[in-house]
């Protein structure tokens, strides 16, 4: 398995498929249907803000991250409006805006880690986390941070096993039904060393 930064034009649909599979339940209410949501997410992916795990030409998993320029998925008002029209674009922005987790100075913020179903429990997620720690070390970030929702305890077990600890908590309040989860935890791991 190789992990590199960025995906190719030919890989965009596969990365979008993995991202939608992992996060579609949270994002689906922003769009009129799943097909529209998947297409919008795929179009909004920022190639150089992803780490990609591959076996040859097969994309096994992805890990999005934030840079000073924004997240792994960039919701451009102009592009969204041009594809969906005004009312649908307003709906999308209204639903997606509360999910945005801004930059944290000195910290690489992960923006979605997804592994193909057939590759789960095979070390792909751990390898992507290791690559993220290495990526953070290059510019001198002090930690890697991510958020995990209460409906994904398996992911939290992986993160804790890899040395991440809880540094914050939050919730969706009355929007829980919209997003499909009630609470989330923010976890961080210092850069350097391996657990």
């Amino acid at each position: 398995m190789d992990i590199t930064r960025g995906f190719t034009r030919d890989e965009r649909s596969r990365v979008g498929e993995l991202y939608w599979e992992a996060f579609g339940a949270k994002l689906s209410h922003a769009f009129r249907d799943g097909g529209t949501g998947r297409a919008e997410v795929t179009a909004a992916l920022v190639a150089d803000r992803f780490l990609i795990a591959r076996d040859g030409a097969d994309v096994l998993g992805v890990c999005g991250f934030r840079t000073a320029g924004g997240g792994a998925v960039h919701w451009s008002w102009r592009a969204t409006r041009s594809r969906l029209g005004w009312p649908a674009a307003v709906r999308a922005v209204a639903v997606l805006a509360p999910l945005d987790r801004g930059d944290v100075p000195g910290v690489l913020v992960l923006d979605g880690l997804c592994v193909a179903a057939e590759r789960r429990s095979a070390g792909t997620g751990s390898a992507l986390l290791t690559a993220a720690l290495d990526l953070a070390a290059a510019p001198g970030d002090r930690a890697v941070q991510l958020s995990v929702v209460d409906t994904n305890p398996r992911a939290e077990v992986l993160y804790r096993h890899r040395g991440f600890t809880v540094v914050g908590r939050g919730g969706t309040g009355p929007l829980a039904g919209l997003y499909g989860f009630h609470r989330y935890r923010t976890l961080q791991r210092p850069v350097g060393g391996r657990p």
Side-chain angles (χ1 to χ4, degrees):
M1 173 176 36
D2 293 320
I3 298 178
T4 58
R5 182 173 176 172
F7 59 83
T8 67
R9 180 178 298 168
D10 292 340
E11 292 172 328
R12 178 176 289 279
S13 63
R14 174 63 171 155
V15 174
E17 175 186 323
L18 289 172
Y19 204 89
W20 186 258
E21 181 183 307
F23 304 111
K26 278 196 304 193
L27 306 175
S28 63
H29 291 288
F31 308 101
R32 66 179 167 261
D33 57 54
T36 301
R38 181 184 301 243
E40 284 300 303
V41 166
T42 300
L45 299 174
V46 182
D48 70 344
R49 296 183 193 150
F50 277 90
L51 295 168
I52 307 295
R54 296 179 186 85
D55 182 8
D58 296 331
V59 174
L60 310 175
V62 303
C63 179
F65 56 90
R66 294 189 63 83
T67 65
V73 183
H74 177 68
W75 303 108
S76 160
W77 166 252
R78 180 180 294 181
T80 304
R81 186 190 70 220
S82 71
R83 287 190 298 266
L84 299 180
W86 277 88
V90 169
R91 172 184 173 175
V93 169
V95 172
L96 296 171
L99 295 174
D100 188 27
R101 304 279 175 250
D103 296 338
V104 179
V107 175
L108 178 67
V109 177
L110 302 188
D111 201 6
L113 191 148
C114 329
V115 174
E118 68 274 10
R119 292 297 298 191
R120 293 181 191 142
S121 300
T124 304
S126 289
L128 284 164
L129 285 175
T130 297
L133 288 161
D134 292 343
L135 180 68
D141 287 336
R142 68 178 188 280
V144 172
Q145 177 175 299
L146 53 83
S147 295
V148 63
V149 298
D150 58 2
T151 57
N152 195 358
R154 182 178 173 155
E156 185 169 349
V157 168
L158 168 66
Y159 303 143
R160 287 178 180 265
H161 178 73
R162 292 301 313 265
F164 285 80
T165 58
V166 175
V167 296
R169 302 173 195 279
T172 54
L175 300 177
L178 182 68
Y179 296 124
F181 67 95
H182 293 277
R183 290 171 301 286
Y184 66 88
R185 290 183 184 91
T186 301
L187 293 90
Q188 271 190 10
R189 157 111 192 256
V191 171
R194 300 277 186 257

